[in-house]
Amino acid sequence: SLDADTIRLHAYLVPTPATQGEERPKDNWKVRTFEAEGDAIIIYPGRTDDDKPYTVTASAHRIVYEVTPGVPPTVLLERDVEITVGGDVPIEGVGSQEGPSEVTATAREQAVLRPAPLTEVRPGDDPTRYRLVELRGDAKLAFRGAGIDPTRDTLEGEQMRLLLKERTDAEIAAIRERTVQTPETRDVPGRAARIVAVSFAVLGDVRLGGSRMSGMTHRMVGRDLDLGSPVFEASGPGTSFAFHGLRRGERMLGGDDSDAASSPGSDGTSEDEAEWVFQRLAARGEVVVETTLGGPSVGMPTRLEGTELTYDRISDLARIVGAEGGTAHLTVGTKRREQRLSARSM
């Protein structure tokens, strides 16, 4: 449904050729653009590939929908934009795959959904399967999960870009096949959303509040969100992040070897399956890291200070470097009883 103070529709006539010996069919009208202005709102109910219901609600002062033959449509929303996808959210990477949830995108100035530039399309992929979402002016993306204590994640900044990709039937079939993991669900296909988030970029007073990491920075980029090993980059003065949801017992500078580190989660799944793993961290410019040396159960509070830090899971090594001509610091223990080690690098 569409509601607004004013609605303008632009359509064009497509002649239908007649077949010899048969009555000439009626011509078709096709929409080129429609424009809704003044408290405009669109409500679109839909169903996922596995027949789960969802609803898209978009509101703004002005909404313009433009169709160009041969390419995906472009949608422009201006002033006080709010877009909500509720139900079984059909976008993987920004919603829950375990039941009803809600994803909301807001922007003060403008939101645009348009075909993605060729420079952002992976080599060999069909460009028509990619969409770019752009939010301008107090941009915010918020996710709320289901359940008694739902997950709440938010990403905010002055400007935001989110790249989406439409999976093919073959890709969905392959994902469903390989996500069958337990004896109880051996005969149940795994879930795979038709639309998947590929990458994002946020600029200007960026704030992240999430179940996996939270913090603030000037610029943040995430890529390869659909490949199972996402990469996140944050830069700018005052960058600060905390990492949550690591596999039980694992922390930078060592993990627990106790039975607690490998015990099942409260839902019966192993922590290896339920949580995520830190592969690599690199930081530069007045770096301060607070972690636990030796793992959270038996380790000691630890603080690292320097100008460059690298941590690699494969080698299980962390390296902190001091400024040129200066020193790096490693402090272990609490304020009452601590030991401090200083060197140019360690």
Side-chain angles (χ1 to χ4, degrees), residues 259-278:
D259 293 339
S262 57
S263 62
S266 59
D267 59 355
T269 62
S270 71
E271 291 294 330
D272 283 359
E273 294 175 350
E275 304 297 339
W276 66 303
V277 176
F278 222 172

Side-chain angles (χ1 to χ4, degrees), residues 117-199:
L118 294 178
T119 54
E120 302 199 32
V121 176
R122 288 199 180 113
D125 278 358
D126 180 1
T128 62
R129 291 165 50 203
Y130 284 78
R131 307 287 191 277
L132 183 63
V133 180
E134 297 177 289
L135 305 174
R136 301 187 182 100
D138 294 333
K140 182 177 181 179
L141 187 64
F143 162 69
R144 184 182 67 189
I148 299 176
D149 186 19
T151 303
R152 298 177 186 272
D153 295 329
T154 59
L155 179 61
E156 303 174 68
E158 282 302 309
Q159 301 178 42
M160 187 181 304
R161 290 161 59 92
L162 177 65
L163 182 65
L164 304 175
K165 173 185 174 181
E166 181 181 359
R167 286 186 172 126
T168 64
D169 292 340
E171 289 172 334
I172 290 178
I175 293 170
R176 287 177 172 171
E177 181 67 24
R178 69 171 179 259
T179 52
V180 177
Q181 297 178 345
T182 66
E184 291 77 11
T185 60
R186 185 171 293 133
D187 298 324
V188 180
R191 298 196 62 187
R194 174 66 62 175
I195 306 298
V196 59
V198 175
S199 64

Side-chain angles (χ1 to χ4, degrees), residues 66-146:
E66 182 176 353
V67 179
T68 302
V71 299
T74 295
V75 183
L76 169 67
L77 301 93
E78 293 182 328
R79 290 172 50 187
D80 300 326
V81 178
E82 181 172 324
I83 305 169
T84 300
V85 184
D88 275 70
V89 177
I91 306 174
E92 190 173 313
V94 294
S96 170
Q97 299 299 293
E98 302 299 332
S101 56
E102 183 178 273
V103 176
T104 301
T106 59
R108 184 185 70 253
E109 297 175 7
Q110 189 181 82
V112 182
L113 172 64
R114 62 184 178 91
L118 294 178
T119 54
E120 302 199 32
V121 176
R122 288 199 180 113
D125 278 358
D126 180 1
T128 62
R129 291 165 50 203
Y130 284 78
R131 307 287 191 277
L132 183 63
V133 180
E134 297 177 289
L135 305 174
R136 301 187 182 100
D138 294 333
K140 182 177 181 179
L141 187 64
F143 162 69
R144 184 182 67 189

